[in-house]
Amino acid sequence: MENGVLEFDIGLGVGDDGIDIDEEDIADDSPNDNFTFQIDGELDLEPYEGMEFESEEAAKAFYNSYARRIGFSTRVSSSRRSRKDGAIIQRSFVCAKEGFRNLNEKRTKDREIKRPRTVTRVGCKASLSVKIQESGKWIVSGFVKEHNHELVPPDQVHCLRSHRQISGPAKTLIDTLQAAGMGPRRIMSVLIKEYGGIDRVGFTEVDCRNYMRNNKQRSMDGDIQLLLDYLKQKQSENPAFFYSLQGDEDQYVGNVFWADPKAIADYNHFGDTVTFDTTYRSNRYRLPFLPFTGLNHHGQPVLFGCAFLINESEASFVWLFNTWLEAMSGRSPVSITTEHDNVIRSAITQVFPNTRHRFCKWHIFKKCQERLSHVLLKHPHFEAEFHKCVNLCESTDEFESCWHSLVDKYDLRDHEWLGAIYADRSQWVPVYLRNTFFAEMSVTQRSDNMNSYFDGYVNASTNLNQFFKLYEKALESRYEKEVKADFDTMNTSPVLKTPSPMEKQASEFYTRKLFMRFQEELVSTLTFMASKVDDDGEVTTYQVAKFGEDHKAYHVRFNVLEMKATCSCQMFEFSGLLCRHVLAVFRVTNVLTLPSHYILKRWTRNAKSSVILDERVTDPFNNYLESHTVRYNTLRHEAFKFVDEGAETVDSYSVAMSALEDASKKVALATKDEGKISMANGRMRNVSTRDGIHSNHSAPGEGQGSSAQQLSEDDMDQKINELSLELERTNRKCEVYRTNLFSILKDIEDHKQRLSVEVQNIKLSMKDGL
């Protein structure tokens, strides 16, 4: 090429001191970061003494281009400056393997090097020296061609440091793919395919990763300030808005947490179980967005705060959990659900030592598809068997047996990942977790609050500038759904499917969604039979099963005196809602209404109420039914014990029958005459005086001298009885007043909620109108 003009891109490269060239950029019209120099001859000529260049940079670029053809890397070695003005007047470029490593440098002499670099310098003498002329041009003053090492073949030259450069078009493509959420490995695959081979790409995956990291940091600098400005504005608008940075603003390390007043208030009502959602960690900047979520009284996802983490170290998670706990007034949840991650587990153990930590089962199922893809391809039925083993086992022994049979069947006993999740089985397999509250209606049903709160709003392409607009839209949408659910609960009545007072009671307490779930359990009791299998005097055990399915029986232990029941399925402990098995026992034992301790406030329409209502007295009819049920069950329980003991022998039978006849007469008299029992002189005495009959007759042989004293005692008993009746009447009035008062308070609270719903509907209508 005679008198040709060469253009070399000397933009940002990957080396510390070498210039990076891409020969495909020759004759590029881009004016930025390029320089030109003119030479005589062909492009493949080698340097020689006396060769001239327009600038020092042109000489450097030429030598680097020559090195790329030959198969070695270059770097700048030394320079000489003018004594007059300090300008560089001579420069030497050498082979990267020139010289030897100095092992006595101060920076390495006195400290241990964790990852020592490989030795690359072998004393090669190959070099090019140039010096400036009076004309301003640079001339080659020295050139050493020979190397003392093997040169790199053409298909590996792209790995040499001075030849690794990310060209402008490659940067544009990387930026585009990074914005779509792709990682360095996948991006390199695209580039290799696009350029026709790794040697034509011109850089390595490490260079791509470093470029993406630097690009992320440059892009984030401005957006991080937007984030801080947003949080400051929110706090200025409402001082109850909480946010915290790890470190102060001058030494901000990029980790931030915030919670608005609604999130804090919602945690006070529904913070018994929490999900720490890490499914949004992949976004444009690979910046983990981590929301804390839960479930409200309608079973809808509710937010308890959010965080951004620059790094996902254990220290970062410990800081985040401590900060979140501070925002929530230091009250730890009963349970927390996260992905299967050892770093997160370690941080939770430190911050929430008394909180039950569960790994998300559905994340593990997803991982199973990745880690066992070869098994799934070879054995299509494995996944269904795996799910059945995890979800349907009713006891830990059954699960252990099923698991070992499964891994043996498919020869997976030595599989590393399966072994790891088996070791952690107590933290994700449902049968080990049923005794802890997680607010889920079924152990086999996926929780709605996992990976759903921001779905449709936040995704991999969301940048920080867009994030808060979409974040606020998500909050607004969730709030509208909650308002709608409140409105439906307060203003419409569900269809009752049974004449049961318990169903009516539940329809008045529970929110609509929770009532529908309870109704499903209640109706299902009609297909179950409850049979008494044991009675130890205090607790009666029932076997509950569908007709003909005794092999699938559940066991319910019922203490009639305390009105407490526990089922082997542990649904109430897990979800806070009574199961069909306990309800079936209630049906056969004539328990007509739900005992108050089985109605969790967090599932009721008054879950957010500041007025604490005593459910036992808010409804006089339900109160009567409950107290009547308690009396009935207590008497029946004692009667069964009496019958068992009385039937032992003929003598005990005669005594029992006589006692029953006497008791029957007394009960009949009490029922007919509303007789009252009074205590006098340590003896029970009937003080009814109907028809002039006293039950306290004198013995036939008693003298008249004691009649005045007897009359005095009778008068005293009569007075005590009158006062007792008056006290009971007063207590009844107080109970009525108390019931009416709580009814009024309940009506006030319901009215407040209706007004709140109407106000929100008006706001939404006005907003839609605007």
Side-chain angles (χ1 to χ4, degrees), residues 250-267:
D250 295 333
Q251 297 179 337
Y252 173 52
V253 298
N255 297 336
V256 59
F257 168 79
W258 74 94
D260 60 28
K262 185 180 186 303
I264 296 172
D266 283 340
Y267 182 78

Side-chain angles (χ1 to χ4, degrees), residues 632-694:
Y632 174 88
N633 282 288
T634 302
L635 283 173
R636 194 176 70 152
H637 183 75
E638 293 298 321
F640 280 148
K641 290 168 59 179
F642 182 78
V643 169
D644 289 339
E645 294 172 357
E648 287 292 327
T649 64
V650 175
D651 291 339
S652 63
Y653 171 78
S654 300
V655 172
M657 286 299 297
S658 175
L660 280 175
E661 290 175 2
D662 187 36
S664 177
K665 293 177 182 178
K666 291 183 178 181
V667 170
L669 184 62
T671 302
K672 182 177 181 180
D673 299 330
E674 297 183 355
K676 304 299 176 182
I677 306 299
S678 178
M679 289 294 294
N681 298 326
R683 300 188 305 274
M684 298 297 296
R685 180 173 294 164
N686 192 322
V687 294
S688 176
T689 56
R690 182 178 175 84
D691 298 329
I693 300 175
H694 256 290

Side-chain angles (χ1 to χ4, degrees), residues 179-191:
M182 292 178 64
R185 184 171 300 176
R186 293 180 61 193
I187 289 177
M188 282 301 295
S189 298
V190 173
L191 288 168

Side-chain angles (χ1 to χ4, degrees), residues 213-224:
R213 183 189 65 237
N214 295 335
N215 188 40
K216 178 185 75 171
Q217 191 60 50
R218 288 193 298 270
S219 301
M220 282 178 55
D221 287 342
D223 285 342
I224 287 294

Side-chain angles (χ1 to χ4, degrees), residues 722-738:
E722 291 174 357
L723 291 174
S724 298
L725 292 174
E726 182 65 27
L727 178 61
E728 184 168 347
R729 283 194 295 270
T730 303
N731 286 336
R732 287 181 179 177
K733 289 181 180 180
C734 289
E735 190 68 22
V736 172
Y737 293 150
R738 185 167 179 261

